[in-house]
Amino acid sequence: MSGTEEMSKALKATTPGFCDMPSTIVRASIVQASTVYNDTPKTIEKAGEFIAQAASDGAQLVVFPEAYIGGYPRGYRFGIGVGVHNEAGRDCFRRYHASAIVVPGPEVDKLAEMARKNKVYLVMGAMEKDGYTLYCTALFFSSEGRFLGKHRKVMPTSLERCIWGYGDGSTIPVYDTPLGKLGAAICWENRMPLLRTSLYGKGIELYCAPTADGSTEWQSSMMHIALEGGCFVMSACQFCLRKDFPEHADYLFTDWYDDQHQEAIVSQGGSVIISPLGKILAGPNFESEGLVTADLDLGDIARAKLYFDVVGHYSRPDIFNLRVNENQNKPVTFVSKSVKAADDSEPQDN
């Protein structure tokens, strides 16, 4: 018997309950699938099929990619150039806006019912419309079918800034659920250290990262966040073929040719689940649509944070401190002043 084995045996013999406390296991599934472009009802129907499939395999948490409902506009140019505007681009935006959903609204109610029916917590990437401004949003649902709330992407990337609005600090939630503390950061806002720190500060344990980045470099970012935050990271990305997109002469794609599908791949997926200890539990899948599923041992969170707790014993608040503005920022605020009219029937002071 090795010295390590002898020490472990001795600890078990002398420490009450040592290693006897069972860990909580949560089964999580990522849905790696393409939007049905320009058809939100069919996109939601497709989502329902995947949710049911994940639930039948025992999933308690189901996570979808960025902008799954409404679609990630990969390759769309909307006729935009510096100092250039055109009718074709405006009409492309009209169709894209029509595919987005109002939150809350009837589509949100359908998703809530799917979560309730399948008894799963659900994180759904969606394009949200608030009037005529679009937001890239993650929607959260409980297994009882309750819409918990949303996170709006705080910083659209590159040309996204021409077509999406900016979220504010009022929608950076972490929900305390029976499965664990659940939250999300969308695509490249995961590269924002202060945003990540705000989630760590709220105690996030189940860190969802809906994304449109299917690069191999993205995998390194996800690994780093799992280790840095001491949390489970679930990165969900769409797998899309060229044929999944509507025909349009103005689209610009970077394609990968796939021998298996005999098709050009536009978004190659790469969905992955990583533990707080830096272990890849499932994925990455760069091959097809489907589910990426893993059992999460929540005990790994404490195991990881023995050595590194970024907002706990490994922080220096006397030197570094983060302030987060959680106020909702509105462009227009109406202030009404109520003036009570004097009652002539009452005696007046002279």
Side-chain angles (χ1 to χ4, degrees), residues 136-149:
C136 184
T137 300
L139 308 175
F140 298 86
F141 301 87
S142 76
S143 58
E144 292 81 26
R146 186 162 61 95
F147 173 53
L148 299 175

Side-chain angles (χ1 to χ4, degrees), residues 12-259:
K12 288 180 180 180
T14 60
T15 307
F18 182 80
C19 291
D20 292 336
M21 295 182 64
S23 292
T24 299
I25 306 297
V26 171
R27 177 162 289 190
S29 287
I30 292 171
V31 175
Q32 177 166 291
S34 173
T35 301
V36 182
Y37 281 85
N38 294 337
D39 196 331
T40 296
K42 284 189 178 178
T43 299
I44 293 175
E45 180 182 345
K46 182 177 180 180
E49 294 171 357
F50 274 109
I51 293 169
Q53 181 183 343
S56 69
D57 191 37
Q60 299 158 277
L61 171 63
V62 181
V63 183
F64 278 77
E66 177 181 15
Y68 175 76
I69 295 174
Y72 184 78
R74 188 181 304 276
Y76 290 35
R77 292 193 275 190
F78 295 98
I80 294 174
V82 177
V84 175
H85 308 86
N86 64 49
E87 293 304 316
R90 287 172 170 153
D91 200 54
C92 183
F93 181 78
R94 177 192 62 79
R95 292 192 298 272
Y96 188 52
H97 178 272
S99 295
I101 63 174
V102 176
V103 179
E107 292 84 4
V108 172
D109 292 342
K110 289 180 181 178
L111 294 168
E113 175 58 21
M114 289 176 182
R116 186 202 65 78
K117 181 179 179 181
N118 292 283
K119 297 181 175 60
V120 297
Y121 275 79
L122 175 63
V123 180
M124 174 62 69
M127 291 313 307
E128 175 194 358
K129 55 186 172 187
D130 187 349
Y132 287 91
T133 295
L134 302 181
Y135 295 92
C136 184
T137 300
L139 308 175
F140 298 86
F141 301 87
S142 76
S143 58
E144 292 81 26
R146 186 162 61 95
F147 173 53
L148 299 175
K150 66 187 178 184
H151 164 58
R152 285 177 172 176
K153 190 173 184 178
V154 300
M155 178 54 70
T157 302
S158 188
L159 196 61
E160 294 171 2
R161 297 173 197 168
C162 295
I163 55 170
W164 294 350
Y166 294 66
D168 60 31
S170 68
T171 65
I172 310 177
V174 171
Y175 298 101
D176 194 355
T177 78
L179 305 184
K181 293 182 178 178
L182 175 67
I186 301 171
C187 205
W188 276 21
E189 66 178 4
N190 281 284
R191 293 187 173 190
M192 300 172 70
L194 301 185
L195 176 64
R196 296 200 308 270
T197 302
S198 72
L199 294 173
Y200 302 152
K202 292 183 177 183
I204 192 167
E205 296 169 327
L206 304 173
Y207 187 118
C208 301
T211 187
D213 190 340
S215 68
T216 54
E217 293 82 4
W218 178 256
Q219 303 294 317
S220 299
S221 291
M222 297 299 97
M223 179 68 73
H224 173 78
I225 291 171
L227 291 168
E228 177 184 67
C231 51
F232 289 94
V233 170
M234 288 148 284
S235 177
C237 187
Q238 294 196 35
F239 183 90
C240 305
L241 301 175
R242 179 65 186 84
K243 67 180 181 181
D244 294 323
F245 286 77
E247 291 296 330
H248 196 290
D250 196 40
Y251 291 169
L252 179 65
F253 293 110
T254 301
D255 294 342
W256 296 268
Y257 189 76
D258 177 55
D259 292 331

